């Protein structure tokens, strides 16, 4: 069971907007920045968002990140079929001095 | 940009150990942190631990292990060749996973990843 809670799946049509939530606690999201990763089957994850809301180099501005209290959100606007992937949130957990990941969210672009 | 190249797939017996390597190359290799993350088949990402490379390695508390793996994992490095190693002992079938190394830019910010190493534990 993951420390950070994400919905197992989300779906939306091409061109629409989708948000993926990541819920934690005071020792993790509440006091640390959040990162977001995109992963295609058989590939390594790719950093999309770091420091909760900064896009990694080369990431389109369709991707955005935000954080409020003990929750974070990844937003994707203008969905493309190639956005279909698994998305993971991650942060530092100060109580155990470790990186923790969410369980992952599978995005389906219908 | 940093490129991370990992060693090849391994098949191990239960109870044995495995050692996976991760060689860094590219720019800005003076001070950086390498973390190890694993992913069991069909499952999510799981952080295992990290090690400092370069002068940063001397900072207290840089090297960490996830509690779950304490006593069973060792992360080491040959800093002369910019290579990090993950050794996992007392292997069980549920250790079957792809093991990734990743360069840590900031806590939980992994901006470069190795290609992954599949470790299969089977009798």
């Amino acid at each position: 069971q993951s420390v950070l809670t994400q919905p197992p799946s989300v779906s939306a049509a091409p061109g629409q907007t989708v948000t993926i939530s990541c819920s934690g606690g005071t020792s993790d999201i509440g006091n640390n920045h959040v990162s977001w990763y995109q992963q295609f089957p058989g590939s390594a994850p790719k950093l999309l968002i770091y420091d909760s809301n900064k896009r990694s180099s080369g990431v389109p501005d369709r991707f955005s990140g935000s954080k409020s209290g003990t929750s974070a959100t990844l937003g994707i606007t203008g969905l493309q079929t190639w956005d279909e992937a698994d998305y993971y949130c991650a942060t530092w957990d100060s109580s155990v001095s470790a990186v923790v990941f969410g369980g992952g969210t599978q995005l389906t672009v219908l | 940009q940093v490129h991370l190249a990992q060693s090849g797939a391994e098949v191990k017996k239960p109870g044995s150990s495995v050692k996976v390597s991760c060689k860094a190359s590219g720019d800005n290799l003076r001070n950086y942190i390498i973390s190890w993350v694993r992913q069991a088949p069909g499952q999510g990402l799981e952080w295992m631990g990290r090690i400092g490379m370069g002068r940063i390695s001397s900072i207290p508390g840089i090297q960490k292990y996830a509690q779950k793996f304490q006593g069973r994992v060792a992360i080491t490095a040959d800093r002369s060749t910019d290579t990090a190693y993950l050794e996992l002992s007392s292997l069980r079938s549920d250790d079957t996973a792809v093991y990734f190394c990743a360069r840590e830019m900031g806590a939980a910010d992994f901006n470069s990843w190795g290609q992954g190493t599949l470790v299969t534990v089977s009798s």
Side-chain angles (χ1 to χ4, degrees), chain B residues 1-4 24-34 53-54 82 103-105 111-112:
Chain B
Q1 188 72 323
V2 173
H3 177 70
L4 301 175
S25 61
D27 299 330
N28 196 16
L29 290 180
R30 288 198 184 96
N31 293 291
Y32 58 103
I33 295 172
I34 293 291
M53 307 289 278
D82 286 305
R103 183 192 177 186
E104 195 173 331
M105 202 170 60
N111 65 342
S112 295

Side-chain angles (χ1 to χ4, degrees), chain A:
Chain A
Q1 192 169 354
S2 303
V3 172
L4 306 180
T5 301
Q6 297 182 234
S9 63
V10 296
S11 62
Q16 290 193 328
T17 296
V18 71
T19 60
I20 298 173
S21 61
C22 176
S23 177
T26 53
S27 67
D28 42 71
I29 293 178
N31 279 286
N32 295 286
H33 287 301
V34 177
S35 304
W36 288 93
Y37 296 87
Q38 177 189 60
Q39 186 183 33
F40 297 107
S43 297
K46 172 189 172 183
L47 179 65
L48 292 176
I49 300 290
Y50 66 99
D51 285 357
S52 302
N53 57 15
K54 296 182 174 64
R55 276 186 300 278
S56 185
S57 176
V59 174
D61 59 7
R62 300 188 296 106
F63 293 86
S64 64
S66 64
K67 191 188 94 162
S68 178
T70 59
S71 293
T73 302
L74 173 70
I76 311 172
T77 61
L79 272 175
Q80 309 291 327
T81 54
W82 53 86
D83 294 331
E84 198 164 279
D86 293 325
Y87 292 83
Y88 294 90
C89 58
T91 189
W92 183 255
D93 187 333
S94 305
S95 67
V96 293
S97 296
V99 174
V100 290
F101 284 95
T105 298
Q106 184 177 54
L107 168 63
T108 301
V109 181
L110 304 165

